[in-house]
Amino acid sequence: SGGYDAHAVQTKWQDRWAKADPFRAGDDTDTRPRKYVLAMFPYPSGDLHMGHAENYLYSDIVARSWRHRGYNVLNPIGWDSFGLPAENAAIQRGANPVTWTYENIAQQRESLKDYGVSFDWSRVLHTSDPEYYRWNQWLFQKLYERGLAYRKESPVNWCPNDQTVLANEQVVDGHCERCGAEVVKKKLTQWYFRITDYADRLLDDLNQLEGFWPQKVIQMQRNWIGRSVGADIDFEIEGREGAVTVFSTRPDTLHGATFFVVAPDSDLAAELAAGSSADVQARFKKYLEGVQRESEIERQSTDRPKTGVFLERYAINPVNGERLPVWAADYVLADYGHGAVMAVPAHDQRDLDFARAFDLPVKVVVDTTAPITGAIPVIEVDDDGVPIDPGAGDGSLDDLDPARTGIALTGEGRMINSGSLDGLSKRNAIARVIEQLEAAGKGHASKSFRLRDWLISRQRYWGTPIPMLHGDDGTIIPVPDEQLPVLLPSVEGLDLKPKGTSPLGGATEWVNTTDPATGAPMHRDHDTMDTFVDSSWYFLRYLSPKDAGEAFSSREADKWGPVDFYIGGVEHAILHLLYARFITKALFDMGLVDFTEPFSSLINQGMVILGGSKMSKSKGNLVLFQEELDAHGADALRVALAFAGPVEDDKDWDDVSTTGATKFLARALRVAHDVTSDPDVVWKDGDPALRRVTHRLLADAPALVEQTKFNVVVARLMELVNATRKTIDTGAGPADPAVREAAEVVAMVLDLFAPHTAEEMWEVLGYEPFVGLVTWRQADPMLLVEESVTAVVQIDGKVRATLEVPARIDGPALEALARSDARVLKSLGDREIVRAIVRPPKVVSFSTR
Ligand code: ANZ
């Protein structure tokens, strides 16, 4: 529209960028302060979609704004090109995953170039390149050296559809995160990364991120790590050598334990049952079979009837020698705490439900009716945030007997029936009992985490081979560093169809190898690594992506790290971010980076939806990125998306107006064409009203971008273009210096959103490229002073007061000022205002009758 050929402008500037490469990060000779901007890298599993359009737009806006503010900016891009999405797509299409992956990368790369993103294209990486995954293998071995990579047999989450194991993080409500199949448990020997060693630090360091990461993400990570503080307590079991440990958050209630429960699927349960009668063994076996079919969610659900088997064994309470019957019951989980609990039915609802179901004794040891003075009161609240009355004052303790009411007493109170603990508050009783247990060598203070170690073995082809060798005698040795990378064998002749063991196992020649030291026959580990290993450190590889000698340069990491601005979808709130945080801390401990958190600030962009619902292929309502680019051009698409609403909000495609954006861009470009003055005009001779609008934008743009209020910046640009148009058409005219000044500032700020149009404007205005590299001007403080005007206040037609008010004041603000003015109040006296006519900024007229 209006002589604005979006595609011609776009092609012209993309060619010039390709030739001049202006967005390369500066090297060591660049003395400007550095900023590292990063958008989560894409999977090449298909075309880019509108979520990508948002992601790479927002990071580009920030990168461009920092260049305009005098920073040396690193804004890299790469591909997360290993993994299930690519492999499954390849299987479905019968294609070679290698060809398929790299074809997709090429196509996505074209789209991003077309989109005018100011990436440093010299640093592109693909995690499926041997040059990259070689360093995954290095990382694996570094972790192995430090005891942070280890193998163990345990029940793992198994996706029967993808025929591979899943990390806990990849199981969503009992289903495979990727394909939705119901996940089952399977016992396998697999490689793990010991992320639990870092649980405390991963939790505590979240405090540093407060205010810089979305609160929701911080909370999700806190919950995922799930720290509980309490004690480990040792119980002897009659007829068994060695004590059994339980974890309890309420060691103060130890005297109230009346039975003991072990997870049916634990080794301990199997052992205890085996030492019992044939009848018990049979019942236990049957029970266990049922339990193994249950999901973790089902097992933890509080509203199912409690089930279990009495093992006819007894545990001994370490503080009072009482015999506690041992049960196997599914509400106790094998892989939390120690897989066994002391059951205190009076004070734990799950234990109480179980006790009532099987008629076990209930012993109250906390008098929740007793006032607790001196102790710090802990107010417990229910799910609705309503404080739970601990019972104080309403009747006697007998009225609250859990055995009868079915309600466990979980509130604060004073200890009773607990020997030397009697009379103590919860806090003090916990401290005291831990002292006693420690003195007796029967326990100690302890913590438990919900976080599990990170299971990284995958039985799939398209991933990094685990660089370890196995001997027939069970020895395991790392592949020597000089023999890395262990290259993926060619896919020719391998069966990629999921079948429960890794396809690499079928590459016989590849699998069979020798011990590099002794020449003894060995076979390669034929699992591949979880792709979250690839993405746990890629932000470091961008700093020296071609370096063949090391994974990343510590020197470059000191210079650029941590990432200043990271953006991506909220779907990565747990997995990716937690793993990247863990690996960063591990690398810090190895002395390889000098920071402990990888991403100083984080933003989650909202989703692009359509007609109020999520876009999807199956609904047939997918808006395709490349199609939109082809139809409207990059700049219109970028402006329309940036203008559609706040970054974090979902945006409905129906509200995204590329037509409006195109009109605005044509208008902006026309303003540049209309300027008749030369670049050497004297700004201060220009029309002050227009200059004020220009300088307000200069003053506000940096902070607005920092706050990611991109839509507001677009609105302000529109305002400035309109004001300039008005000055040209009906004001001081196109030769006024303020018109040129405004057009130049529009080009400089528009570069964030519509870089092709901005460069075109800059050229039309008589400058050399590139406006993308021009430092924004300082706002003139004199032009930021608010203009003021005199407003009159009339009461019943007579002027009673005058007010100095900002020229831009709105009606409600003006009326409020007038109503609270002392002179107005005085002349009103007892009279009441019945009507107000407000005409900002100059007149307020009150009537009192
Ligand atoms: C005795 C007790 C008394 C407990 C009481 C609670 C209240 P969180 O807060 O989730 O960490 N527990 C320990 N290991 C378990 C397992 N493997 N499966 C199921 N439950 C387990 O929960 C810790 C509490 O959950 C522990 O404290 C233990 O019960 C139980 F009035 O010990 B408690």
Side-chain angles (χ1 to χ4, degrees):
S1 68
Y4 168 67
D5 184 342
H7 288 282
V9 168
Q10 187 170 322
T11 312
K12 168 178 165 185
W13 290 102
Q14 282 170 12
D15 287 347
R16 298 220 187 155
W17 289 328
K19 285 201 190 80
D21 200 8
F23 305 120
R24 237 180 224 255
D27 59 16
D28 274 354
T29 60
D30 192 325
T31 55
R32 294 172 298 170
R34 296 182 182 83
K35 288 281 190 187
Y36 187 174
V37 182
L38 189 62
M40 292 178 187
F41 59 169
Y43 290 122
S45 46
D47 286 339
L48 294 174
H49 51 70
M50 290 324 248
H52 295 112
E54 267 194 291
N55 202 25
Y56 303 114
L57 167 62
Y58 296 150
S59 55
D60 196 43
I61 291 172
V62 172
R64 286 175 180 274
S65 80
W66 275 335
R67 276 190 216 102
H68 290 297
R69 292 170 60 201
Y71 291 98
N72 175 8
V73 175
L74 172 59
N75 182 27
I77 183 72
W79 274 266
D80 195 5
S81 45
F82 262 150
L84 274 182
E87 186 167 349
N88 284 345
I91 292 169
Q92 278 155 24
R93 291 167 181 75
N96 179 325
V98 185
T99 331
W100 192 86
T101 296
Y102 286 89
E103 277 172 9
N104 277 332
I105 290 177
Q107 194 177 333
Q108 292 192 351
R109 189 182 165 121
E110 278 319 298
S111 295
L112 290 176
K113 287 221 160 165
D114 238 16
Y115 200 37
V117 186
S118 65
F119 288 129
D120 180 341
W121 289 101
S122 70
R123 294 174 187 252
V124 170
L125 59 80
H126 313 124
T127 58
S128 54
D129 290 351
E131 294 75 24
Y132 187 90
Y133 70 71
R134 185 235 182 281
W135 301 110
N136 282 338
Q137 296 175 339
W138 165 87
L139 178 66
F140 181 98
Q141 294 191 347
K142 284 303 251 187
L143 295 172
Y144 181 72
E145 272 168 34
R146 297 177 74 88
L148 292 173
Y150 70 97
R151 245 162 83 93
K152 78 169 174 199
E153 186 192 59
S154 62
V156 296
N157 302 306
W158 181 259
C159 173
N161 179 47
D162 290 331
Q163 290 278 307
T164 189
V165 301
L166 300 171
N168 276 351
E169 289 83 342
Q170 289 163 326
V171 182
V172 177
D173 294 339
H175 294 265
C176 173
E177 175 200 49
R178 297 221 189 279
C179 72
E182 194 165 337
V183 171
V184 296
K185 290 278 180 188
K186 185 167 169 168
K187 253 192 173 181
L188 281 178
T189 304
Q190 304 278 285
W191 286 101
Y192 290 81
F193 285 168
R194 211 181 290 280
I195 190 172
T196 53
D197 267 17
Y198 286 75
D200 273 319
R201 286 163 69 186
L202 287 167
L203 192 73
D204 294 341
D205 289 356
L206 286 171
N207 296 339
Q208 298 172 29
L209 303 175
E210 290 277 2
F212 301 99
W213 277 35
Q215 190 53 43
K216 187 172 146 200
V217 174
I218 292 181
Q219 201 48 47
M220 283 164 89
Q221 295 232 342
R222 286 205 175 111
N223 294 343
W224 189 261
I225 299 166
R227 179 165 61 197
S228 294
V229 178
D232 277 352
I233 307 172
D234 298 338
F235 286 73
E236 300 292 336
I237 308 265
E238 280 180 7
R240 181 185 193 268
E241 273 304 312
V244 169
T245 307
V246 304
F247 171 73
S248 175
T249 46
R250 294 293 306 275
D252 54 317
T253 64
L254 181 50
H255 290 263
T258 55
F259 58 103
F260 193 95
V261 188
V262 296
D265 46 345
S266 64
D267 293 344
L268 178 64
E271 177 208 315
L272 294 179
S276 201
S277 66
D279 177 40
V280 166
Q281 288 180 32
R283 269 185 289 135
F284 173 73
K285 185 163 172 270
K286 187 153 169 270
Y287 183 60
L288 179 59
E289 278 163 12
V291 169
Q292 271 159 344
R293 282 192 296 270
E294 296 168 352
S295 73
E296 197 155 312
I297 304 280
E298 284 169 337
R299 287 177 63 166
Q300 283 175 297
S301 144
T302 46
D303 48 2
R304 333 169 33 232
K306 290 277 179 289
T307 58
V309 173
F310 176 38
L311 298 180
E312 293 175 5
R313 305 285 300 257
Y314 291 87
I316 307 299
N317 188 326
V319 286
N320 57 17
E322 275 173 24
R323 293 176 84 219
L324 309 177
V326 177
W327 289 68
D330 65 353
Y331 77 98
V332 172
L333 305 175
D335 65 351
Y336 186 71
H338 302 283
V341 307
M342 66 175 204
V344 185
H347 303 291
D348 180 281
Q349 192 61 47
R350 296 161 299 179
D351 296 343
L352 181 62
D353 295 343
F354 193 86
R356 282 162 51 100
F358 293 99
D359 217 7
L360 293 159
V362 178
K363 178 182 170 193
V364 175
V365 290
V366 182
D367 178 359
T368 54
T369 68
I372 11 168
T373 48
I376 296 172
V378 176
I379 299 172
E380 297 204 20
V381 292
D382 65 18
D383 287 347
D384 300 321
V386 178
I388 297 168
D389 185 348
D394 63 46
S396 67
L397 187 56
D398 282 348
D399 291 343
L400 301 174
D401 181 10
R404 209 178 50 252
T405 63
I407 301 165
L409 300 174
T410 55
E412 290 278 301
R414 291 203 174 277
M415 304 309 302
I416 53 173
N417 301 325
S418 294
S420 62
L421 304 181
D422 281 359
L424 294 180
S425 66
K426 170 174 159 181
R427 265 161 71 89
N428 291 338
I430 289 177
R432 177 76 57 84
V433 80
I434 288 176
E435 267 171 34
Q436 292 171 353
L437 288 167
E438 276 179 354
K442 288 181 172 169
H444 53 87
S446 169
K447 285 180 274 198
S448 275
F449 293 91
R450 208 183 145 246
L451 182 69
R452 300 271 79 93
D453 275 339
W454 175 11
L455 167 54
I456 62 120
S457 308
R458 294 290 178 280
Q459 291 69 46
R460 301 302 295 247
Y461 172 74
W462 194 231
T464 305
I466 292 176
M468 303 298 279
L469 302 176
H470 300 262
D472 289 339
D473 59 353
T475 48
I476 297 178
I477 55 168
V479 175
D481 193 67
E482 64 276 11
Q483 290 184 12
L484 297 183
V486 176
L487 292 173
L488 260 181
S490 158
V491 72
E492 301 301 326
L494 296 185
D495 179 11
L496 295 191
K497 296 238 174 50
K499 57 186 177 305
T501 59
S502 176
L504 294 186
T508 321
E509 272 181 45
W510 179 87
V511 167
N512 293 323
T513 181
T514 51
D515 182 330
T518 66
M522 303 216 59
H523 61 268
R524 293 188 188 282
D525 203 299
H526 47 61
D527 285 349
T528 51
M529 293 182 208
D530 181 8
T531 51
F532 280 107
V533 176
D534 312 4
S535 52
S536 68
W537 68 281
Y538 77 115
F539 54 95
L540 294 169
R541 185 67 185 168
Y542 279 136
L543 305 178
S544 52
K546 304 214 162 60
D547 191 341
E550 55 185 353
F552 61 91
S553 151
S554 295
R555 205 177 138 264
E556 293 292 316
D558 293 355
K559 277 164 35 187
W560 288 103
V563 171
D564 295 287
F565 178 86
Y566 196 33
I567 182 159
V570 73
E571 67 273 17
H572 290 301
I574 299 176
L575 322 145
H576 161 56
L577 293 171
L578 193 67
Y579 296 150
R581 296 181 62 226
F582 158 55
I583 293 298
T584 301
K585 288 173 200 303
L587 293 172
F588 174 84
D589 291 351
M590 296 173 200
L592 296 175
V593 297
D594 68 351
F595 46 89
T596 54
E597 283 293 333
F599 311 121
S600 302
S601 79
L602 174 75
I603 291 280
N604 295 132
Q605 81 269 16
M607 275 191 306
V608 181
I609 56 177
L610 188 58
S613 66
K614 213 174 154 165
M615 293 186 191
S616 75
K617 261 188 204 155
S618 57
K619 281 192 210 145
N621 65 352
L622 213 56
V623 177
L624 291 177
F625 180 52
Q626 189 61 52
E627 277 176 17
E628 296 302 315
L629 269 179
D630 292 344
H632 312 289
D635 283 357
L637 186 57
R638 292 175 56 128
V639 167
L641 272 177
F643 192 52
V647 169
E648 296 87 348
D649 288 11
D650 289 349
K651 282 141 214 104
D652 200 315
W653 187 250
D654 288 343
D655 306 331
V656 177
S657 170
T658 44
T659 320
T662 302
K663 278 191 191 141
F664 160 64
L665 292 172
R667 225 169 137 71
L669 187 56
R670 197 151 65 85
V671 161
H673 277 294
D674 287 354
V675 171
T676 53
S677 60
D678 291 331
D680 58 6
V681 285
V682 180
W683 306 133
K684 69 174 173 39
D685 298 341
D687 168 39
L690 178 56
R691 293 201 73 206
R692 273 194 202 93
V693 185
T694 303
H695 282 255
R696 269 201 304 270
L697 176 60
L698 280 176
D700 296 347
L704 287 171
V705 176
E706 281 312 292
Q707 298 156 12
T708 64
K709 292 184 177 160
F710 306 143
N711 57 330
V712 179
V713 183
V714 176
R716 298 282 297 273
L717 271 168
M718 291 174 170
E719 180 195 13
L720 181 54
V721 168
N722 289 343
T724 317
R725 187 78 255 155
K726 213 168 129 193
T727 308
I728 294 172
D729 292 346
T730 61
D736 191 276
V739 168
R740 167 168 277 279
E741 183 185 38
E744 291 184 7
V745 170
V746 167
M748 288 183 205
V749 179
L750 186 63
D751 173 64
L752 309 187
F753 311 100
H756 311 87
T757 310
E759 292 292 357
E760 188 69 14
M761 285 181 75
W762 197 240
E763 191 181 61
V764 166
L765 288 165
Y767 294 106
E768 293 289 310
F770 293 95
V771 73
L773 302 181
V774 167
T775 307
W776 280 347
R777 294 180 193 141
Q778 291 293 319
D780 180 347
M782 292 302 289
L783 290 165
L784 300 178
V785 178
E786 276 259 35
E787 239 185 322
S788 70
V789 295
T790 306
V792 297
V793 187
Q794 303 178 343
I795 299 175
D796 296 332
K798 292 203 181 73
V799 174
R800 296 296 184 185
T802 57
L803 306 167
E804 280 303 300
V805 297
R808 285 152 60 91
I809 195 164
D810 63 10
L814 181 60
E815 182 176 344
L817 273 183
R819 279 179 185 268
S820 59
D821 183 81
R823 288 157 303 178
V824 172
L825 290 171
K826 192 168 166 221
S827 65
L828 272 175
D830 297 339
R831 290 180 294 164
E832 201 183 317
I833 297 171
V834 294
R835 202 158 65 98
I837 297 167
V838 185
R839 295 197 206 293
K842 293 207 166 139
V843 182
V844 181
S845 179
F846 293 132
S847 307
T848 64
R849 21 170 223 273

